[in-house]
Amino acid sequence: MNNAKTRTKRIPKTTSQRLYLGSGRVGLARSEKLRTAQDVTGSSACGLDPEDWTESRVQAHRMLDDLFDHLEGLRDGPVWRPLPSAVRESFDAPLPIAPSELSAVHEDFLRNILPYGNGNLHPAFMGWVHGGGNLAGMLGEMLAGGLNANLGGRDHAPIEVERQILRWVRQIFGFPATATGLFLTGSSMANFMGLLVARHATLVESGPDAADCSLVAYASNAVHGCVPQAMELSGLGRAALRLIPVDEAGRIRLDILSSSIAADRAAGFRPFLIVGTAGTVDIGAVDDIDGLATLAERENLWFHVDGAFGALAILSPTLSPLLAGLERSDSLAFDFHKWGQVPYDAGFLLVRDGEAHQATFASPAAYLRREARGLAANSPWPCDFGIDLSRGFRALKTWFTLKTYGLAKLGDVIDNTCALARRLEARVRAEPSLELLAPVALNIVCFRHRGVDPDSLNARIVADLHESGIAAPSTTQIGGQLAIRAAIVNHRTAARDVDALVDEVLALGSRR
Ligand SMILES: *Cc1c(COP(=O)(O)O)cnc(C)c1O
């Protein structure tokens, strides 16, 4: 960890003095005023603002410096460290009734939290599909925390930031100006809400008497688990999601989908929704989006795309042809926090038919009355397009990320992760003791060591990799076999990280 000396070195004295002392004087004057006012009214010390703004300011800069040191030195540390039991037990502390110094809480953070993160900042993190975060986004998140804006509604600039991102998202994905959308926690929530809009639109169309117990939906059997869960949460039930087989590339079989729809109609069911996947969670396969759009149009079904990580491949000119037809979908779920590198969390739902979207969620309440002017103007509000009433300012870290790096650069990052996946694929193919288990469509490589009892061998290899701190892939099942799964998402990942993964898998495999 860094000490006071390195910190002083990092900030030139003149700058820090100007920063701390210059604005500190203003802070002092204000807190003096505040104290006088409190004395007069007799309401002493009930607020949470600091008595000494200068001291807090110095402490805040220290906290920022520590994080900068951490980010700058990521490569020098392990991807992940197991939590020592003493650290785990430190979270079993009694209720904090009495106050602590901010600096003491920060020391606790430095000791017990910072070194034991998830690892997804690290260049050699390749597990699941985790974004790497970014500096501009982090600073945007800090500013958002300071503003403490509530983006449920009302008339203020933060709402306009989210609206601007909605306009950008429409443009990125070729949606019309009437399309609506909003930030959500992630694609699990966005897929769920997309499904709710699809159901609402279907039931409105078929009249208020329509029961939804016969509604059925379709997705490939490689669909993310949040979609069957969304079916259950919506009350439609998991069984009402027909799981259609995939081809060798992991893409939904359109012929089987088409005949399943016909069979369901003949049996009295009411097909209402097709969920396509742009980037399956296991192997990164992209369904034939254009073919699905055509089929959905012909069958008059709602077409939703789960583009959790894959949709942002549209930012890469070389990859975007894979997503042809995305502009024809009725709704799209995707995450800025995966391939978009925005700090967690920043999911997004985009809906072509803005009226259907609003009709699904808008619920008038006296305390949410809209006005033509004043703070209660600027309707419709984001809370009219979702379940959440209070909403944080996820838009700001996204705004900082998109504006600071620009879409072209973010597209390059996405391209590069796919190039690294191809490098990994080539290395796996070149090693006789390794075996590729799935085609590489985007940035995910599934492979394994061929040693004896391969399922337990490869599970042990992955656990050893994690504990060594050298690389952090995850595992999945491909065709009943346990696979080492490397999803390269992080903008920091480089060729040497991919090479180190292969070298270490080979070393661990031969040692076993
Ligand atoms: C990650 C992922 C999800 C879930 O998104 P969250 O943001 O984690 O809620 C859904 N579908 C796919 C294909 C994913 O990769």
Side-chain angles (χ1 to χ4, degrees):
M1 211 40 45
N2 38 72
N3 54 35
K5 258 185 203 156
T6 48
R7 273 196 299 268
T8 341
K9 243 184 264 161
R10 288 243 161 84
I11 306 182
K13 259 244 166 72
T14 45
T15 319
S16 62
Q17 275 169 347
R18 217 182 317 124
L19 265 172
Y20 296 179
L21 300 177
S23 5
R25 237 175 278 128
V26 180
L28 268 181
R30 288 185 61 192
S31 73
E32 267 160 21
K33 248 185 261 164
L34 203 67
R35 230 172 291 146
T36 324
Q38 283 171 343
D39 292 342
V40 171
T41 58
S43 61
S44 64
C46 260
L48 301 178
D49 285 335
E51 278 204 4
D52 184 345
W53 284 89
T54 309
E55 196 184 303
S56 298
R57 188 185 300 259
V58 172
Q59 171 62 26
H61 283 275
R62 199 170 291 152
M63 291 165 81
L64 199 55
D65 283 341
D66 280 338
L67 213 44
F68 267 72
D69 288 344
H70 180 68
L71 293 173
E72 204 181 337
L74 276 175
R75 260 199 188 283
D76 305 332
V79 183
W80 177 81
R81 307 180 162 82
L83 235 68
S85 48
V87 170
R88 206 182 295 278
E89 280 155 21
S90 76
F91 296 106
D92 203 11
L95 271 175
I97 307 289
S100 302
E101 289 297 331
L102 176 58
S103 58
V105 180
H106 179 226
E107 284 303 322
D108 198 356
F109 168 83
L110 290 178
R111 202 168 42 245
N112 294 326
I113 300 176
L114 186 66
Y116 306 105
N118 187 67
N120 55 317
L121 290 169
H122 197 284
F125 185 94
M126 302 166 196
W128 301 274
V129 179
H130 279 31
N134 74 83
L135 197 58
M138 173 189 109
L139 295 170
E141 179 77 324
M142 183 187 76
L143 301 180
L147 283 181
N148 190 32
N150 184 340
L151 275 83
R154 292 155 291 272
D155 197 7
H156 50 117
I159 292 271
E160 297 307 322
V161 175
E162 184 158 346
R163 286 188 176 155
Q164 173 165 61
I165 291 180
L166 168 60
R167 286 193 292 275
W168 288 343
V169 166
R170 281 185 198 129
Q171 215 175 321
I172 289 169
F173 292 107
F175 272 54
T178 46
T180 49
L182 77 169
F183 277 96
L184 296 166
T185 45
S187 286
S188 300
M189 185 55 88
N191 283 319
F192 175 47
M193 287 176 43
L195 186 149
L196 295 179
V197 179
R199 180 181 63 171
H200 188 87
T202 305
L203 293 179
V204 164
E205 204 173 276
S206 50
D209 296 335
D212 61 4
C213 58
S214 58
L215 292 179
V216 287
Y218 305 83
S220 89
N221 59 18
V223 74
H224 191 274
C226 67
V227 173
Q229 186 183 54
M231 291 292 287
E232 185 170 321
L233 294 175
S234 67
L236 296 171
R238 283 170 191 262
L241 181 67
R242 311 297 199 222
L243 295 177
I244 308 298
V246 294
D247 64 17
E248 270 143 45
R251 302 158 15 130
I252 191 167
R253 286 272 304 269
L254 289 179
D255 52 339
I256 301 179
L257 171 59
S258 184
S259 53
S260 300
I261 294 169
D264 277 329
R265 286 201 202 281
F269 289 104
R270 293 176 45 217
F272 80 107
L273 166 69
I274 297 174
V275 179
T277 302
T280 58
V281 62
D282 275 332
I283 67 168
V286 181
D287 283 340
D288 174 1
I289 303 293
D290 204 48
L292 285 174
T294 302
L295 182 57
E297 210 169 87
R298 192 183 76 210
E299 297 283 349
N300 192 28
L301 305 180
W302 188 279
F303 178 38
H304 174 83
V305 175
D306 174 7
F309 75 91
L312 282 180
I314 204 156
L315 298 180
S316 151
T318 43
L319 298 172
S320 62
L322 278 174
L323 299 169
L326 203 53
E327 72 287 350
R328 298 171 64 194
S329 60
D330 291 303
S331 50
L332 168 67
F334 72 97
D335 287 326
F336 282 109
H337 60 220
K338 289 179 173 172
W339 246 351
Q341 314 293 334
V342 172
Y344 285 94
D345 48 30
F348 206 91
L349 173 67
L350 181 64
V351 180
R352 169 178 308 278
D353 181 346
E355 281 176 27
H357 186 184
Q358 188 171 357
T360 306
F361 296 107
S363 50
Y367 47 84
L368 294 176
R369 205 177 113 98
R370 312 303 155 85
E371 306 293 350
R373 58 195 190 86
L375 189 48
N378 206 18
S379 187
W381 294 348
C383 68
D384 301 325
F385 296 92
I387 301 166
D388 298 313
L389 179 54
S390 295
R391 303 175 67 250
F393 198 0
R394 296 185 180 100
L396 193 61
K397 60 192 170 190
T398 310
W399 194 74
F400 266 86
T401 302
L402 301 184
K403 282 169 74 91
T404 302
Y405 306 106
L407 295 184
K409 171 79 179 176
L410 294 171
D412 287 348
V413 165
I414 288 169
D415 244 359
N416 188 52
T417 59
C418 293
L420 289 170
R422 289 193 298 275
R423 180 189 181 95
L424 176 54
E425 177 189 9
R427 284 220 50 195
V428 168
R429 284 187 192 280
E431 294 292 344
S433 56
L434 301 182
E435 180 184 10
L436 192 73
L437 291 182
V440 177
L442 296 170
N443 59 333
I444 299 179
V445 183
C446 292
F447 67 104
R448 69 172 185 169
H449 198 285
R450 292 184 199 264
V452 272
D453 192 5
D455 277 11
S456 60
L457 170 68
N458 284 283
R460 279 190 316 234
I461 287 176
V462 168
D464 285 350
L465 278 169
H466 292 175
E467 288 174 359
S468 73
I470 293 173
S474 54
T475 63
T476 191
Q477 293 280 328
I478 304 287
Q481 299 177 314
L482 187 126
I484 301 175
R485 175 175 166 284
I488 301 164
V489 185
N490 192 327
H491 58 95
R492 302 181 183 97
T493 305
R496 58 174 151 157
D497 301 301
V498 164
D499 292 343
L501 169 70
V502 175
D503 295 343
E504 195 60 16
V505 168
L506 289 171
L508 288 167
S510 64
R511 209 174 302 155
R512 289 283 174 185

